[in-house]
Amino acid sequence: MKYRQLTKEQFESLHQEFAHFLATQSIDVNEWNQIKQEKPNVAEEEMNIFSDIVWDDVLTRTEYLEHFSSNIINLFKCEETKIHRIVVQINNNSINLMEKEGYQWLLKNAQDPSVEILQGNKVYQSERNAEIFDLIEKGSNISKGELFEYFKNLINAS
């Protein structure tokens, strides 16, 4: 398995797609139920294959990631051969970026002396999708990139 198996909730939300996947392998609902009961290891393998297909599709389309902690935001732009990173750190313990008020404070005060912004680029060390998946497993969320672009423009304007 390349990534990890989808959660039960993810399988439920992709029920139609999974049924279509099984149909492409000439497995109907009755046969699937039989496989699950009589050959659970085969059922598990089918679920793993489907999970990898879904993850590959999602990761290939992923352009931006965000990871928040109380005083640091890591923003990533995932290109084909390299990943760009912007780190926004707040050196003020009274501001918590995980709370709405702290996040809004940052957007209004991005040039405050307590805000440190760093940026860098890195060529992928392994396969692109595997590195993006690793960031997601470590707590990053896929985003539309508004925050990354906001800080990139702020940096470029300086």
Side-chain angles (χ1 to χ4, degrees):
M1 179 159 216
K2 193 172 179 181
Y3 303 109
R4 71 164 162 76
Q5 192 174 94
L6 297 172
T7 64
K8 182 180 181 203
E9 293 79 15
Q10 290 168 325
F11 268 110
E12 287 171 0
S13 70
L14 295 168
H15 173 77
Q16 292 291 91
E17 291 83 353
F18 186 59
H20 179 73
F21 167 77
L22 292 174
T24 64
Q25 298 183 51
S26 302
I27 301 173
D28 64 22
V29 87
N30 294 330
E31 189 176 353
W32 175 245
N33 289 331
Q34 185 178 355
I35 291 170
K36 286 193 303 187
Q37 286 195 347
E38 296 173 9
K39 301 176 187 172
N41 55 330
V42 173
E44 194 75 19
E45 187 57 32
E46 292 296 331
M47 293 168 71
N48 290 345
I49 292 167
F50 178 74
S51 295
D52 279 348
I53 291 169
V54 171
W55 275 114
D56 255 337
D57 181 52
V58 168
L59 297 168
T60 297
R61 291 185 284 119
T62 297
E63 287 185 65
Y64 295 95
L65 296 170
E66 298 176 347
H67 186 274
F68 282 77
S69 67
S70 60
N71 65 336
I72 297 175
I73 303 173
N74 282 282
L75 305 167
F76 303 95
K77 182 175 183 181
C78 310
E79 293 183 346
E80 196 171 316
T81 59
K82 65 183 171 183
I83 190 164
H84 301 276
R85 180 179 181 192
I86 296 175
V87 179
V88 181
Q89 181 169 345
I90 309 298
N91 299 311
N92 179 339
N93 292 333
S94 67
I95 297 167
N96 184 345
L97 296 169
M98 303 282 285
E99 296 173 354
K100 183 179 179 182
E101 297 80 18
Y103 179 75
Q104 289 175 339
W105 178 91
L106 173 62
L107 294 180
K108 291 177 188 167
N109 300 284
Q111 296 183 324
D112 187 272
S114 66
V115 178
E116 187 177 357
I117 303 172
L118 307 166
Q119 66 176 334
N121 302 310
K122 177 185 102 156
V123 174
Y124 297 112
Q125 301 301 305
S126 60
E127 193 220 343
R128 176 192 183 275
N129 286 0
E131 288 198 32
I132 294 171
F133 181 77
D134 185 53
L135 289 169
I136 291 170
E137 289 293 281
K138 290 176 178 171
S140 293
N141 294 304
I142 297 170
S143 75
K144 293 182 179 163
E146 292 104 338
L147 204 52
F148 181 95
E149 294 300 330
Y150 172 80
F151 281 101
K152 181 178 144 203
N153 291 334
L154 195 64
I155 292 165
N156 291 340
S158 301

